[in-house]
Amino acid sequence: MTSFPARRPRRLRSTPAVRRLMAETHVVPSQLVLPMFVREGLTEPQAISAMPGQSQHTLDSLRRAAADAAEAGVGGVMLFGVPAVRDAVGSGADDPDGILNVATTALVEEVGDALVVQTDLCLDEFTDHGHCGVLTPAGGVDNDATLERYASMALAQARAGSSLLGLSGMMDGQVQAVREALDAEGFVDTILMAYSAKYAGAFYGPFREAVDSQLTGDRRTYQMDPPNAREGVREAMIDVDEGADIVMVKPGLPYLDVLAEVRASVDVPVWAYQVSGEYSMVEAAAANGWIDRRATILDSLTAFGRAGADAILTYWAAEAAGWIREGL
Ligand code: PBG
C-alpha cells in the first residue's frame, strides 16, 4: 500500500496569493534607515569607488538625497561627517560649525518633519589617528577621557537638531555618560541608539574609503571579538541598563544569531546595520551578473525582519523602500 504524506506544508505555498497571505515577516519602508556621508569642502558629490552607487555628499546633494529618501518613505537617515581637517581629539566633532553639525541642521530643516534625522556619535571620522576615541600617551584608546569627548559631541549634535544619536564608539559607559550630559542640559527627548554589539572585523572595509579613514591597525581593543555571542547579549543588557532607548547589532547578516538572541533578551527596539562590506559584496556580484540584485537585496532585508530586527540601517534604504511600496 502506498503511504501518502499526512502533512503537506506545500499547501501554504501553492500560489502567489496564498504565499502573500501566509507571509510571517513584512519589512516596510518606515523600518529602513539610510546612512549618508557628507564631506566638508566638496563642490560636487564624490563617488565612493568601493561602494558603487554611494557618494560623499555636498551639503546640497545631501539635502536632495535626503528629500528623495523621505519621498520613498524611509523611516530615517543616519548622518556621517567627513571633515576637512582632523586632530588628535577630533575637535571637528563638537564644533558647532563642524560639518556633521552643520549638515544636521540643514537636514532637519529639509526633511525633519518627514523622517527621523540621526547622527553618528563617534570620533573616528574626526581624529587624525582614526581611532574612535582619544589616545593615552602609550597609544591605547583612553576610555574615560573619550567619554568626556562623547558627552560634548552629544550636546553639539542635540543643539544642531539631531533627534537620535547613534553611539558607535564601543567605549564602556558611553550611554550613561551621554545620557547624563544631555539630561543636564534639558535634552531629555534626544533618543540614544547604542551600537551595543558592534563586532570588529573585515566587513567595514569599504566604509574606510567612505569616510577617508586615517586608521592604521584595528579596533579590536574596543569593538567585540567575532566569536562571542553571549558577550553581545551582555553588552546590550548593560546599555539598556545605562539608559539606551534602542540597541543595535552590527554587522548585519553575518550576526543574525546575535540579533535574535539580543531580541529575546531585551524589551527595547533592536536595530541591525547592514554594513558597507555586505553592500559591496552584493553590488559586485550583481555587476558581474552572478545574482539578481533586487531579489538578493529584498531577501536580505527579509532575513533581518525574520531574525527580529525592528529597523535596519541599509545603504539600499531609499531604493528598497520604493520597491516595497510598489509591491515589487
Ligand atoms: C564608526 C563606524 C564604522 C561604521 C559605522 N560607524 C566604522 C568602524 O567601526 O570601523 C561602519 C559602517 C559600515 O561599514 O557600513 N564610527
Side-chain angles (χ1 to χ4, degrees):
M1 177 183 126
T2 317
S3 145
F4 291 103
R7 300 288 177 266
R8 293 188 182 271
R10 288 184 56 193
R11 206 172 277 139
L12 300 186
R13 299 171 205 147
S14 55
T15 68
V18 170
R19 290 195 294 275
R20 193 163 70 91
L21 184 60
M22 298 304 150
E24 296 176 26
T25 305
H26 302 272
V27 174
V28 296
S30 61
Q31 291 176 291
L32 304 178
V33 176
L34 178 66
M36 307 180 86
F37 305 101
V38 59
R39 179 165 167 186
E40 189 172 15
L42 279 187
T43 50
E44 291 293 323
Q46 186 166 321
I48 301 165
S49 63
M51 299 178 70
Q54 300 299 310
S55 304
Q56 294 177 331
H57 284 290
T58 67
L59 277 172
D60 275 349
S61 70
L62 182 80
R63 278 176 180 265
R64 283 196 299 274
D68 289 347
E71 187 70 24
V74 307
V77 293
M78 172 61 78
L79 196 52
F80 293 89
V82 185
V85 180
R86 299 178 170 88
D87 63 21
V89 297
S91 301
D94 52 339
D95 179 348
D97 296 324
I99 183 64
L100 179 55
N101 298 320
V102 169
T104 299
T105 304
L107 279 194
V108 170
E109 184 188 287
E110 185 76 31
V111 292
D113 293 333
L115 49 71
V116 181
V117 175
Q118 324 178 11
T119 44
D120 182 57
L121 198 163
C122 190
L123 285 175
D124 63 314
E125 288 95 5
F126 298 94
T127 53
D128 54 12
H129 45 74
H131 274 294
C132 294
V134 296
L135 304 184
T136 63
V141 175
D142 187 334
N143 192 90
D144 298 9
T146 299
L147 296 183
E148 291 176 29
R149 299 291 300 128
Y150 286 0
S152 175
M153 195 175 178
L155 289 174
Q157 294 185 352
R159 288 184 189 121
S162 179
S163 298
L164 183 154
L165 314 186
L167 282 68
S168 67
M170 288 301 285
M171 293 300 125
D172 292 340
Q174 62 184 11
V175 174
Q176 184 182 347
V178 164
R179 184 76 271 160
E180 283 174 6
L182 290 170
D183 288 355
E185 296 286 322
F187 292 107
V188 295
D189 289 330
T190 305
I191 301 165
L192 298 187
M193 189 270 286
Y195 288 58
S196 300
K198 177 174 179 180
Y199 288 84
F203 283 99
Y204 309 139
F207 183 90
R208 298 276 159 92
E209 181 194 338
V211 298
D212 289 332
S213 174
Q214 306 297 303
L215 185 70
T216 52
D218 60 53
R219 307 192 195 283
R220 290 180 187 274
T221 68
Y222 42 105
Q223 296 183 354
M224 290 186 56
D225 210 17
N228 299 354
R230 268 197 319 267
E231 191 185 344
V233 175
R234 176 162 185 261
E235 283 276 11
M237 291 173 76
I238 291 171
D239 284 348
V240 171
D241 208 41
E242 288 185 23
D245 301 294
I246 302 162
V247 296
M248 176 184 273
V249 176
K250 175 185 176 189
L253 290 186
Y255 291 85
L256 288 186
D257 57 328
V258 179
L259 177 73
E261 284 188 43
V262 169
R263 173 65 290 167
S265 306
V266 301
D267 55 8
V268 299
V270 180
W271 290 14
Y273 196 143
Q274 184 171 47
V275 302
S276 58
E278 300 176 66
Y279 173 88
S280 300
M281 288 192 298
V282 172
E283 291 293 348
N288 277 293
W290 295 336
I291 50 171
D292 178 329
R293 180 174 177 274
R294 190 177 71 199
T296 306
I297 293 167
L298 289 172
D299 280 359
S300 72
L301 296 177
T302 300
F304 285 109
R306 198 182 57 237
D310 296 292
I312 308 155
L313 272 75
T314 174
Y315 299 98
W316 291 303
E319 195 178 7
W323 297 335
I324 293 167
R325 272 167 44 140
E326 286 161 31
L328 294 174

